[in-house]
């Protein structure tokens, strides 16, 4: 196996598809909120492990990253795929909904980058990929 890929949100959706593709050639650490779902995803890959953490909990996420590094070495590629999507017309958009979207989709990415960045800088290389939906690029009409 070539290197260590860590994927937040790697148990479902685009994160899982990424884990399946990268798992053919890399060691993969899957981080997800639901440990059993992450375990099931990891068990289907040749060399993978699952770690339970919520990307909005910086301490728990850092602990999970450290455990992943203990298992597979420094992270060479981070794929920040954890995310949530909730929409409503502006008249029904609650401030708490926007706070949740920001905490998961923005702060969650930063929380994932911070613990892997020092070893990437020390190695002089590394990749950080943040996945998003097409809603980040285009507005959609409500019926």
């Amino acid at each position: 196996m070539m290197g260590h890929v860590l994927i937040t949100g790697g148990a479902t959706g685009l994160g899982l598809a990424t884990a399946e593709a990268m798992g053919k050639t890399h060691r993969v650490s899957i981080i997800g909120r639901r440990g059993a779902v992450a375990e099931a995803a990891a068990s289907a890959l040749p060399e993978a492990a699952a770690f339970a953490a919520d990307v909005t909990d910086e301490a728990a996420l850092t602990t999970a990253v450290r455990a992943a590094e203990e298992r597979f070495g420094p992270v060479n590629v981070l794929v920040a795929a954890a995310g949530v999507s909730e929409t409503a017309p502006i008249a029904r958009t609650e401030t708490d909904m926007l706070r949740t979207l920001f905490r998961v989709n923005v702060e969650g990415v930063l929380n994932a980058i911070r613990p892997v960045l020092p070893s990437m800088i020390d190695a002089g290389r590394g990749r950080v990929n943040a996945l998003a939906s097409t809603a980040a690029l285009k507005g959609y009409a409500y019926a």
Side-chain angles (χ1 to χ4, degrees):
M1 295 285 169
M2 290 187 345
H4 181 192
V5 178
L6 186 136
I7 306 170
T8 64
T12 60
L14 288 174
L16 177 59
T18 303
E20 291 168 343
M22 297 299 284
K24 294 174 184 174
T25 55
H26 293 74
R27 296 179 303 279
V28 175
S29 292
I30 294 174
I31 295 182
R33 286 178 298 142
R34 296 167 295 167
V37 177
E39 287 285 345
S43 70
L45 301 176
E47 196 170 353
F51 305 90
D54 186 317
V55 296
T56 65
D57 183 341
E58 187 172 8
L61 184 56
T62 298
T63 297
V65 169
R66 295 296 171 249
E69 290 175 327
E70 265 305 301
R71 175 88 182 258
F72 294 131
V75 174
N76 306 104
V77 178
L78 167 66
V79 179
V84 294
S85 176
E86 185 177 352
T87 63
I90 195 72
R92 293 195 319 253
T93 299
E94 299 289 330
T95 303
D96 284 344
M97 179 185 81
L98 295 175
R99 286 186 182 117
T100 297
L101 291 170
F102 191 84
R103 284 189 71 222
V104 174
N105 298 336
V106 177
E107 291 177 17
V109 173
L110 295 174
N111 290 343
I113 292 170
R114 279 191 284 267
V116 302
L117 193 58
S119 64
M120 289 181 177
I121 291 170
D122 289 346
R125 62 182 302 179
R127 298 284 183 265
V128 174
N129 302 281
L131 304 186
S133 89
T134 57
L137 303 173
K138 166 184 174 173
Y140 293 94
Y142 288 94

